[in-house]
C-alpha cells in the first residue's frame, strides 16, 4: 500500500472542518472524499472525479454496509407503522401517566429515554433511531432541547453496545481477537469490560445529567434559548392513540431475536465442548450485520401482523406507510453512504495506520493504556468510525501489550473506549449523523452540544487509565 503520510489526514480533517464551518454535511463529506481521491490519483482532477463516483458505488460491495443502509430503511418503515398504529402516542401517554405529578418530571423523561437506549444494546443505529424518533414528541411537548435528546440517544447507545458482548459489537471484536492464537477472544472481551472507563463513565454521566437537570457549555446556551411556545410536529398520527404494546412488542421482538439470529448464523455443530462453548463460538463467528437486519425484519413483520389483526392495516396502507417511513430515512441513507465512503477512503489512504505509527514510539507499559485510548480516539475522530478504529488498533495493541508487558485487558478496553469516544466527537461519524437526524436537530448543533460532555468523560477516562496503568 502506498504511504501517503500526512496527506492521509487531509481529507477527513477537511470534511470535519468544512462541516463545522458551513453546516453542510453532505457537501463537506463529498468534497473531502473528492480531495482524497485527488491525492490518490496524483492531482489528476478527471481521474479523481471518476474515482469519487466509483467510491460511492463501491460502498455497496460490502455486505455489511449494504445491510446497514437497508436496515435504516426498514427501521424507518417500522417506526412509521408504529406511528400510524398510534403506538408511539400510546407509549408517550403511558410514560406521562406514570411520571406526571412526580418530582423532577423532565429529568425522569430524559432518564427514561436514556434507559431505552441503554436497553436496546443489540445495535447502536437501532438504539439511536428508536430513541430519537419515539421521544422527540415528548421532548418537544415539555420544552426539552432536541439537542439534549440527540446527546442522550447517541451517548446511551454505543457505550451500552460495547459493554454487552451478546450483540454485533461483541461478535465483531471477538472476530478481531481470533487472529491472535494466544488470546482467548471471549475471556479477553469479558475481562476488559470493567476497564472500559469511557463507556461506564458516559452512561453514568448521561443518567446524572438527566436526573440532576445540570447543563453546561453549548447545551446550556441552547436550553436557555428554547422558545416558550411548544414545538409542534405535524404527521399522520396526530391525535391517534392506541395501546403502548403496539410499540413495545415489535421493538421487543427485534431486540430479543437479534442474539438468536447471531447464534443461528454462526452455529457450527462440529464444534466440540458444551452448549455454552458452542454458543460463544457461534456469536464470534456469526455476522452481526446479518443478524441485526434479520431482527429488524422480524420486528417489522411483527408490527404488520399485529396491526392487521387489529384491523388497522390493509395491504394498501401497509405499503403506503412503509414507503413513507423509508422516504423519511432517505437523507439518512445518503449520509450513511457518504460516511462509509470516507471511511473506505481513510482505509485506502492508511489514515489510521499513519496516526498509530507516528505515535506508537511513545508507549511505555504504565502509560500505554492511556496513550492507546488517546490514539484510538483520534483515529475514530478523523475517520468517523469506531469499528474501523477497533480493526486498526486491536491489530497493533495486542502484540504491543505483549511486547511492552502492558495489561492486555486494559489495552483492549482502551481501544474500545477510545474508538467510541472519538466516534462521539466526530462530525463525520455515521452514528453522530443518525442521532441528529433521528432527533430532528441540526447536525452541527448536536456535535457542538455533545462535544463538551464527551470531552469531560473522555478526560476522566484518560486519568483512570493513567492511574490503573500503574496499579494493574
Amino acid at each position: 500500500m502506498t504511504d501517503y503520510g500526512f496527506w492521509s489526514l487531509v481529507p477527513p480533517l477537511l470534511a470535519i472542518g468544512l462541516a463545522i464551518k458551513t453546516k453542510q454535511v453532505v457537501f463537506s463529506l463529498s468534497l473531502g472524499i473528492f480531495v482524497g481521491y485527488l491525492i490518490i490519483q496524483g492531482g489528476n482532477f478527471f481521474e479523481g472525479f471518476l474515482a469519487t463516483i466509483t467510491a460511492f458505488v463501491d460502498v455497496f460491495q460490502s455486505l455489511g454496509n449494504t445491510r446497514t443502509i437497508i436496515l435504516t430503511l426498514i427501521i424507518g418503515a417500522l417506526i412509521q407503522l408504529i406511528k400510524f398504529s398510534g403506538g408511539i402516542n400510546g407509549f408517550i401517554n403511558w410514560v406521562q401517566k406514570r411520571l406526571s405529578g412526580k418530582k423532577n418530571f423532565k429529568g425522569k423523561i430524559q432518564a427514561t429515554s436514556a434507559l431505552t437506549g441503554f436497553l436496546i444494546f443489540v445495535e447502536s443505529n437501532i438504539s439511536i433511531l428508536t430513541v430519537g424518533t419515539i421521544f422527540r414528541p415528548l421532548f418537544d411537548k415539555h420544552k426539552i432541547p432536541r439537542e439534549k435528546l440527540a446527546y442522550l440517544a447517541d451517548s446511551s447507545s454505543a457505550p451500552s453496545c460495547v459493554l454487552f458482548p451478546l450483540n454485533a459489537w461483541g461478535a465483531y471484536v471477538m472476530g478481531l481477537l481470533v487472529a491472535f492464537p494466544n488470546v482467548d477472544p471471549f475471556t479477553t472481551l469479558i475481562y476488559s469490560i470493567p476497564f472500559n472507563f469511557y463507556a461506564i463513565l458516559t452512561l453514568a454521566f448521561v443518567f446524572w445529567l438527566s436526573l440532576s437537570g445540570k447543563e453546561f457549555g453549548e447545551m446550556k446556551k441552547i436550553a436557555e434559548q428554547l422558545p416558550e411556545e411548544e414545538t409542534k410536529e405535524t404527521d399522520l398520527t396526530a391525535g391517534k392513540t392506541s395501546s403502548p404494546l403496539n410499540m413495545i412488542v415489535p421493538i421487543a421482538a427485534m431486540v430479543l431475536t437479534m442474539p438468536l439470529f447471531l447464534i443461528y448464523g454462526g452455529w457450527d455443530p462440529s464444534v466440540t465442548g458444551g452448549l455454552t462453548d458452542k454458543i460463544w463460538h457461534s456469536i464470534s463467528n456469526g455476522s452481526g450485520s446479518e443478524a441485526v437486519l434479520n431482527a429488524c425484519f422480524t420486528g417489522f413483520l411483527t408490527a404488520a401482523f399485529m396491526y392487521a389483526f387489529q384491523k388497522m392495516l390493509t395491504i394498501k396502507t401497509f405499503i403506503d406507510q412503509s414507503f413513507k417511513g423509508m422516504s423519511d430515512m432517505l437523507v439518512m441513507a445518503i449520509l450513511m453512504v457518504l460516511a462509509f465512503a470516507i471511511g473506505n477512503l481513510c482505509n485506502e489512504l492508511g489514515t489510521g495506520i499513519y496516526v498509530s505509527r507516528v505515535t506508537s514510539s511513545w508507549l511505555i507499559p504504565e502509560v500505554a493504556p492511556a496513550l492507546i485510548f488517546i490514539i484510538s480516539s483520534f483515529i475514530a475522530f478523523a475517520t468517523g468510525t469506531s469499528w474501523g478504529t477497533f480493526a486498526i488498533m486491536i491489530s497493533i495493541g495486542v502484540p504491543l501489550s505483549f511486547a511492552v508487558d502492558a495489561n492486555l485487558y486494559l489495552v483492549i478496553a482502551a481501544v474500545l473506549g477510545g474508538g467510541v469516544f472519538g466516534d462521539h466527537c466526530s462530525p463525520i461519524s455515521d452514528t453522530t449523523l443518525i442521532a441528529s437526524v433521528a432527533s430532528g436537530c441540526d447536525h452541527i448543533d448536536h456535535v457542538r452540544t455533545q462535544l463538551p460532555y464527551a470531552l469531560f468523560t473522555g478526560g476522566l477516562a484518560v486519568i483512570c487509565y493513567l492511574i490503573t496503568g500503574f496499579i494493574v
Side-chain angles (χ1 to χ4, degrees):
M1 185 178 71
T2 304
D3 187 353
Y4 294 95
F6 176 77
W7 287 104
S8 66
L9 292 174
V10 172
L13 294 182
L14 174 66
I16 291 168
L18 272 179
I20 294 172
K21 179 70 175 177
T22 66
K23 294 191 175 184
Q24 299 298 320
V25 182
V26 172
F27 169 75
S28 302
L29 286 171
S30 300
L31 185 61
I33 293 166
F34 172 69
V35 169
Y37 284 103
L38 195 61
I39 292 170
I40 291 173
Q41 297 300 327
N44 187 315
F45 276 79
F46 181 68
E47 292 295 333
F49 172 72
L50 295 180
T52 301
I53 295 174
T54 302
F56 295 144
V57 177
D58 286 347
V59 165
F60 296 93
Q61 287 189 358
S62 165
L63 291 178
N65 290 350
T66 305
R67 288 177 185 134
T68 303
I69 293 167
I70 294 174
L71 153 73
T72 302
L73 300 177
I74 298 301
I75 285 288
L78 170 60
I79 289 172
Q80 180 57 30
L81 287 180
I82 296 173
K83 280 184 180 179
F84 184 77
S85 75
I88 290 181
N89 286 343
F91 179 76
I92 289 172
N93 290 340
W94 180 78
V95 170
Q96 289 188 124
K97 284 179 183 178
R98 278 150 183 79
L99 298 182
S100 60
K102 293 186 178 180
K103 188 178 179 181
N104 193 15
F105 178 65
K106 286 188 178 182
K108 287 185 170 62
I109 289 175
Q110 295 177 61
T112 302
S113 69
L115 181 62
T116 303
F118 174 78
L119 293 175
I120 306 176
F121 58 82
V122 295
E123 211 278 330
S124 56
N125 290 345
I126 292 177
S127 174
I128 293 170
L129 285 167
T130 303
V131 172
T133 306
I134 289 172
F135 283 91
R136 189 198 306 171
L138 198 54
F139 273 58
D140 287 346
K141 181 176 181 179
H142 296 283
K143 306 182 186 69
I144 306 171
R146 288 184 176 182
E147 289 79 6
K148 185 62 177 293
L149 175 60
Y151 165 71
L152 295 174
D154 203 352
S155 296
S156 64
S157 61
S160 64
C161 288
V162 82
L163 289 175
F164 292 94
L166 198 64
N167 56 24
W169 288 62
Y172 177 69
V173 173
M174 284 190 282
L176 295 175
L177 291 171
V178 164
F180 304 96
N182 54 343
V183 173
D184 181 88
F186 175 67
T187 302
T188 302
L189 181 59
I190 292 297
Y191 284 13
S192 73
I193 290 173
F195 299 118
N196 199 329
F197 299 122
Y198 178 74
I200 295 169
L201 289 169
T202 296
L203 288 171
F205 195 50
V206 159
F207 286 103
W208 181 80
L209 285 172
S210 298
L211 295 172
S212 69
K214 303 289 184 182
E215 307 288 1
F216 61 85
E218 293 294 323
M219 190 74 77
K220 185 175 182 180
K221 293 179 183 178
I222 285 183
E224 291 172 347
Q225 294 169 1
L226 201 68
E228 289 300 317
E229 67 273 10
E230 294 180 5
T231 305
K232 300 292 183 180
E233 284 204 330
T234 55
D235 59 42
L236 294 176
T237 66
K240 188 172 183 179
T241 303
S242 66
S243 168
L245 292 176
N246 279 343
M247 188 201 85
I248 294 171
V249 171
I251 291 178
M254 179 176 62
V255 172
L256 295 175
T257 57
M258 190 275 162
L260 299 179
F261 280 119
L262 188 60
I263 294 169
Y264 175 79
W267 187 262
D268 183 356
S270 65
V271 173
T272 58
L275 180 61
T276 303
D277 294 330
K278 290 185 176 182
I279 287 175
W280 286 116
H281 180 272
S282 301
I283 291 172
S284 62
N285 282 353
S287 168
S289 61
E290 183 178 356
V292 169
L293 183 60
N294 290 339
C296 284
F297 268 105
T298 300
F300 176 60
L301 294 176
T302 299
F305 284 118
M306 274 187 70
Y307 309 151
F309 183 77
Q310 296 173 41
K311 298 183 179 179
M312 291 181 175
L313 279 182
T314 63
I315 293 177
K316 183 179 185 305
T317 53
F318 168 70
I319 293 173
D320 289 345
Q321 293 305 311
S322 296
F323 277 114
K324 181 183 184 302
M326 291 181 187
S327 66
D328 290 343
M329 293 294 180
L330 186 58
V331 172
M332 189 179 298
I334 292 171
L335 289 172
M336 291 184 74
V337 170
L338 291 170
F340 288 139
I342 201 166
N344 291 342
L345 168 66
C346 289
N347 184 54
E348 192 169 345
L349 287 169
T351 305
I353 295 173
Y354 168 72
V355 173
S356 61
R357 186 179 71 241
V358 298
T359 54
S360 59
S361 59
W362 310 345
L363 299 180
I364 59 174
E366 291 78 13
V367 299
L371 287 176
I372 286 174
F373 177 85
I374 294 170
I375 296 165
S376 300
S377 302
F378 186 76
I379 292 173
F381 177 81
T383 60
T385 167
S386 56
W387 282 31
T389 301
F390 298 163
I392 293 167
M393 289 304 296
I394 284 178
S395 65
I396 295 170
V398 172
L400 190 65
S401 68
F402 290 122
V404 302
D405 198 26
N407 185 286
L408 177 62
Y409 309 131
L410 259 181
V411 168
I412 296 300
V415 169
L416 301 182
V420 173
F421 170 50
D423 191 73
H424 275 166
C425 297
S426 178
I428 62 174
S429 160
D430 58 334
T431 52
T432 309
L433 293 164
I434 290 170
S436 56
V437 174
S439 303
C441 70
D442 179 82
H443 175 60
I444 301 303
D445 285 343
H446 168 46
V447 175
R448 286 170 47 240
T449 51
Q450 176 164 271
L451 190 58
Y453 294 164
L455 289 174
F456 176 73
T457 49
L460 289 178
V462 171
I463 294 172
C464 290
Y465 282 117
L466 283 172
I467 295 172
T468 313
F470 283 92
I471 296 174
V472 176

